[in-house]
Amino acid sequence: MGRKVRVLTALLLLVFVVALTGKSDVWRLAVQATADDAEETSDETDDSSDAGEDEEEEEEDSDDGDDDDEDDAYTRELEEQRQSTLNAIDSIKSDISTVEAKISELQSSKSSLQTYINQLDQELNSISAQITELEESIAEKEAEIESRQQELEETEEEAEEQYEMMKRRIQYMYENGSESFLELLLESESVAEMLNRAEYSSQMADYDRDMMQALQETLEKIAEQKSALEEEKTELEELLAEAESQQEAVNTAIAAKSQEIASYQAQIDAASGEQSTYEDQLDEQEKLLDQVEQQIAAAAAAKASSDDGDGGSSGFIWPCPSSHRITSSFGYRTAPVAGASTYHKGIDIGASSGAAIVASASGRVTTATYSSSAGNYVVISHGGGISTVYMHASALYVSEGDYVTQGQTIAAVGSTGYSTGPHLHFGVIVNGSYVDPTGYVN
């Protein structure tokens, strides 16, 4: 603006001089100078305009760069959140594993105690049967002893009667002992009668002696039998007392072991409650992980553009030419390794380490980086809201922003990140959500 004022001032001065002098050359020179200054001014204005346009373009480029930086920062934040969640899942699973080991140990101890109690029960049953048998034997011995006692009493009565009879006969013979053999001879009518009387007296004496001897022997025999039965009874009673003592000891042991089992069961119940709490926490963390992974998928979708490809209209090809073996399908599963998701958002294709991974369809690489969970991985946008994911690679052959064609080798099979061995995790994202890849590739 200052320059224009100076030019106009100079022009007016020249016009005034020309008007005073009337020299046309001076006028021509002034006009030419004015024109040159005007052209220079115009050039500066054009240059200034061009510079402004360049600055606007730089500002737009700067805005785009800022947007990309913000996207990258958001993606990194999501990945950090995902890793934090995976770490929490690892910790909870470790706690669950510890609790499960504790429960298993307690169950094993409880089972051993229960086995021991079962053995004690069998022993107790055997002792109880033995006690019953001993009690029956004792009862039989008591009955036999009672029978022998009765026989002994009867024999003693018989012996007593025989003894009384013998005493009466002896008394009679003593009282009539003055009768001489001559009188016995004279009173007898014949020698035969005399001999008969003498024999009879002798036989009666022998009979009494034999009867007393037999009765005495019977008494001794019965007494011996009774004594033997009483000894057997005593032995049986001692065995019974021992068996009852064993029974009491076994019952005491069973009661003590039952208390131990109750203690183990209480610990098992407490550990099971703890396990249930951990499982609830694990469920929450896995839900959070699912949300974060959906956000990561959404972020990947946000990086995509509708003109990255034909949206898969030309079809998708199998991403691992060397292997078509699916080792883990899409959907719910048991986590193959600590930290792995229990809801599989892709398919795992078992293959040799270093085998080629190819682009399933043409598109633009929106992510080519490393993650502690996914390992080395690539995300390709194919347009139309569709992206494909290739994880756990041993090497990456493309970079973010590269355009790739269908079948182009983009990485090599590996086992980086959370992985049980060399394989390709292949996923498909449609409008920010994971879908079953088998709906796109065979």
Side-chain angles (χ1 to χ4, degrees), residues 90-106 271 274-275 278:
D90 284 347
S91 177
I92 293 172
K93 286 184 175 180
S94 176
D95 291 337
I96 289 176
S97 178
T98 300
V99 172
E100 286 177 342
K102 181 179 179 181
I103 291 175
S104 178
E105 183 179 353
L106 289 170
E274 188 177 355
Q275 180 183 10
Y278 284 137

Side-chain angles (χ1 to χ4, degrees), residues 318 320-324 350-352 355-356 413:
W318 190 254
C320 187
S322 66
S323 174
H324 285 69
S352 301
V413 170

Side-chain angles (χ1 to χ4, degrees), residues 54-182:
D54 290 341
E55 288 178 358
E56 290 178 359
E57 291 178 358
E58 289 178 0
E59 288 178 357
E60 289 178 358
D61 292 342
S62 177
D63 290 341
D64 291 341
D66 291 342
D67 291 340
D68 291 339
D69 290 341
E70 289 178 0
D71 289 342
D72 292 340
Y74 178 61
T75 301
R76 285 194 299 272
E77 180 182 350
L78 288 175
E79 182 57 40
E80 289 174 0
Q81 186 178 357
R82 182 176 189 270
Q83 185 57 45
S84 175
T85 305
L86 286 171
N87 291 338
I89 288 175
D90 284 347
S91 177
I92 293 172
K93 286 184 175 180
S94 176
D95 291 337
I96 289 176
S97 178
T98 300
V99 172
E100 286 177 342
K102 181 179 179 181
I103 291 175
S104 178
E105 183 179 353
L106 289 170
Q107 290 281 17
S108 177
S109 298
K110 177 185 173 183
S111 178
S112 297
L113 278 174
Q114 190 61 58
T115 300
Y116 180 57
I117 286 179
N118 292 340
Q119 292 174 353
L120 289 176
D121 282 336
Q122 292 178 0
E123 184 178 347
L124 185 61
N125 291 336
S126 176
I127 292 173
S128 297
Q130 184 181 356
I131 288 173
T132 301
E133 184 178 349
L134 287 170
E135 288 174 342
E136 290 175 353
S137 297
I138 289 172
E140 290 176 1
K141 294 301 176 185
E142 288 176 342
E144 290 181 15
I145 290 172
E146 184 178 357
S147 176
R148 293 296 180 271
Q149 180 65 32
Q150 186 174 357
E151 289 179 10
L152 185 61
E153 290 175 357
E154 291 175 354
T155 303
E156 285 176 346
E157 289 177 0
E158 185 179 352
E160 185 66 25
E161 291 177 359
Q162 184 66 32
Y163 179 66
E164 290 297 328
M165 290 174 63
M166 186 179 68
K167 284 196 303 180
R168 285 195 295 271
R169 280 193 292 272
I170 292 172
Q171 183 180 0
Y172 174 79
M173 290 176 67
Y174 175 77
E175 291 175 350
N176 297 281
S178 59
E179 184 178 7
S180 64
F181 181 75
L182 181 59

Side-chain angles (χ1 to χ4, degrees), residues 293-302 385-387 429-434:
E293 289 186 338
Q294 290 293 350
Q295 289 173 345
I296 291 175
I386 300 177
S387 296
I429 300 172
V430 177
N431 296 324
S433 296
Y434 291 96

Side-chain angles (χ1 to χ4, degrees), residues 42-62:
S42 176
D43 291 340
E44 289 180 358
T45 302
D46 291 340
D47 291 341
S48 176
S49 176
D50 291 341
E53 290 177 359
D54 290 341
E55 288 178 358
E56 290 178 359
E57 291 178 358
E58 289 178 0
E59 288 178 357
E60 289 178 358
D61 292 342
S62 177

Side-chain angles (χ1 to χ4, degrees), residues 388-410:
T388 50
V389 184
Y390 313 78
M391 295 183 181
H392 307 299
S394 59
L396 302 180
Y397 302 141
V398 293
S399 301
E400 185 173 335
D402 291 349
Y403 280 89
V404 295
T405 57
Q406 187 179 62
Q408 178 180 336
T409 300
I410 58 173

